[in-house]
Amino acid sequence: FGIEFVTRNEELSSDDTSVLEAVLSTVFKPNEDGTGSQTIIKEPFVYFDGTNNPPPSLPLINDGNGPDFNFIGNLRFMGYTLFGISAVSSIGFAAWTIKLRNERVVKASQPEFLVMICVGTLILSSAIIPLSVDDEFCDGSGCDAACMSAPWLMSIGFVTAFSALFSKTWRINKILRQPGNFRRVKVTWKDVMAPFMVLLTANVIILICFTTINPLKFDRDIDVTIDAFGRKTSSVGSCRSDSRGGGALLYAMLLLAVNLSCVILANVQAYLVRGISTEYQESSYIAIGMAGMLQMWIVGVPLLFLVRDSPQAYFAVWSLVLFVPSISLNLLMFVPKIKFQKAHEANKERNRLEKMQGSNDKTGQVSLQQTPTSNLRLEKIQKYQQEKLTLGG
């Protein structure tokens, strides 16, 4: 048997047509015992250009680094850190609320309302985890699951946290529109659950249709770059869905329309009650939180579209869009309450010491005058109490 190489006959070919011919390079004869073969004719190897000159070696892809797959890489640890900070704050503030649920500061804001905010911010920030998944470490099924879990976590977390804020502001506005002037405003658990169920139902219906009709799937062959030799030098992997029926963009716009309209409505409600003084100034902090959330959406959503084709930038922007509202909402809702609680405890301690001081003055004045030792002890007690009062004040 022989080995032939197809070459172009330059004499018979023209600019419009090419004439190919087979050039016999080597002929092998099988051995009779079937153990191999021997070479009968051996000619110099004929390359594609019809000569015996080997072509130069192909250049290395990306200077020897291989194809650039644009993985998220170590940037995912930034996302893990942001989620960790948000999770610690949410869990810590929820534990503080449950522990002090019978204190006046917490009861005035309702423990259920505060815990609901903590649960919502925890779920919202947890969407950073599936957004950090790509095919660097996970297979196709794992990447597909991460793609579809991210919008679920974002929507459920937002609805949970936002419903509590919206209900509080809406209830204040509703009472103020009634005849009379009510100075104390209380939002019941039913008031919070009503908008929560409406928003949750709308989001879940859209997400179910999204998941069943046009689910997000991880696709690696996006924005592929090919060099002159037909080799892939770079590619981008991201979550995509079938474009039939509008694809992921349609469901993203529906979710954005539902939730953003509620954010705008809540900001209008907050603006209408901006001059109302509520207990512990809670309404002002709620208004700041919702205004910040609206600003983050206005800035973040267009920015996400601009960096859509860069996985690293896309992940970084998403991490900040999820982290900033979560941590800012936790801080705005709980740090002022913790300060009020500390001030309340300091006042209680001050009153207790003043009462003790008054009792000592009444009962011990005569008897302590009789002995120098008792007078010295009283002076030490008074000095100690004065130091505590100074520190407490």
Side-chain angles (χ1 to χ4, degrees), residues 163-180:
S163 297
L165 298 177
F166 177 79
S167 300
K168 195 82 169 179
T169 307
W170 174 77
R171 181 65 174 167
I172 294 173
N173 209 340
K174 181 178 179 181
I175 292 177
L176 292 175
R177 287 199 301 265
Q178 295 176 353

Side-chain angles (χ1 to χ4, degrees), residues 71-356:
F71 292 129
I72 294 175
N74 294 330
L75 194 62
R76 60 171 49 91
F77 294 107
M78 180 205 74
Y80 297 158
T81 302
L82 295 179
F83 167 66
I85 295 173
S86 180
V88 168
S89 69
S90 297
I91 296 173
F93 288 140
W96 179 84
T97 301
I98 294 173
K99 180 181 179 181
L100 302 179
R101 60 187 179 277
N102 294 321
E103 295 291 336
R104 177 175 176 79
V105 174
V106 178
K107 290 177 68 175
S109 300
Q110 298 171 284
E112 299 88 352
F113 165 80
L114 298 176
V115 171
M116 191 173 180
I117 292 177
C118 292
V119 173
T121 55
L122 177 62
I123 298 174
L124 180 63
S125 60
S126 68
I128 296 175
I129 302 301
L131 287 171
S132 68
V133 176
D134 58 19
D135 56 347
E136 184 177 7
F137 301 109
C138 293
D139 57 8
S141 59
C143 292
D144 292 344
C147 285
M148 205 61 242
S149 63
W152 278 91
L153 292 173
M154 293 178 197
S155 299
I156 301 302
F158 167 79
V159 168
T160 304
F162 176 77
S163 297
L165 298 177
F166 177 79
S167 300
K168 195 82 169 179
T169 307
W170 174 77
R171 181 65 174 167
I172 294 173
N173 209 340
K174 181 178 179 181
I175 292 177
L176 292 175
R177 287 199 301 265
Q178 295 176 353
N181 187 13
F182 297 87
R183 302 187 63 180
R184 292 194 60 182
V185 177
K186 183 178 180 180
V187 180
T188 65
W189 183 241
K190 293 181 180 180
D191 295 324
V192 178
M193 291 303 295
F196 171 71
M197 293 306 299
V198 172
L199 271 176
L200 181 65
T201 302
N203 278 265
V204 168
I205 291 175
I206 297 173
L207 288 169
I208 289 176
C209 296
F210 191 4
T211 306
T212 55
I213 300 175
N214 292 108
L216 289 172
K217 293 184 179 296
F218 190 85
D219 187 4
R220 162 54 56 186
D221 294 327
I222 298 174
D223 195 18
V224 178
T225 303
I226 305 295
D227 64 7
F229 305 99
R231 300 175 301 176
K232 292 182 180 181
T233 58
S234 67
S235 64
V236 174
S238 64
C239 298
R240 306 278 176 166
S241 68
D242 194 339
S243 59
R244 291 182 295 109
L249 182 61
L250 172 63
Y251 298 101
M253 295 304 294
L254 289 174
L255 290 171
L256 184 64
V258 171
N259 295 320
L260 185 58
S261 61
C262 293
V263 172
I264 295 174
L265 177 60
N267 276 271
V268 173
Q269 298 284 340
Y271 177 79
L272 294 176
V273 299
R274 65 192 183 281
I276 304 302
S277 177
T278 57
E279 195 168 20
Y280 302 113
Q281 302 175 359
E282 188 176 60
S283 61
S284 61
Y285 295 113
I286 293 176
I288 295 172
M290 289 190 298
M293 189 178 296
L294 179 60
Q295 290 176 355
M296 180 57 66
W297 280 47
I298 293 174
V299 175
V301 172
L303 191 58
L304 286 170
F305 280 99
L306 292 176
V307 299
R308 184 72 177 87
D309 295 327
S310 175
Q312 295 89 351
Y314 189 71
F315 173 72
V317 173
W318 258 127
S319 297
L320 293 175
V321 168
L322 296 172
F323 170 75
V324 172
S326 299
I327 193 67
S328 60
L329 192 57
N330 283 340
L331 296 177
L332 284 169
M333 295 307 301
F334 288 95
V335 170
K337 290 178 176 57
I338 293 174
K339 293 177 65 176
F340 278 121
Q341 177 62 22
K342 286 184 176 295
H344 177 64
E345 292 176 354
N347 289 332
K348 288 176 61 177
E349 180 65 15
R350 185 181 296 110
N351 293 334
R352 185 184 70 82
L353 292 175
E354 290 176 353
K355 185 177 181 181
M356 183 183 300

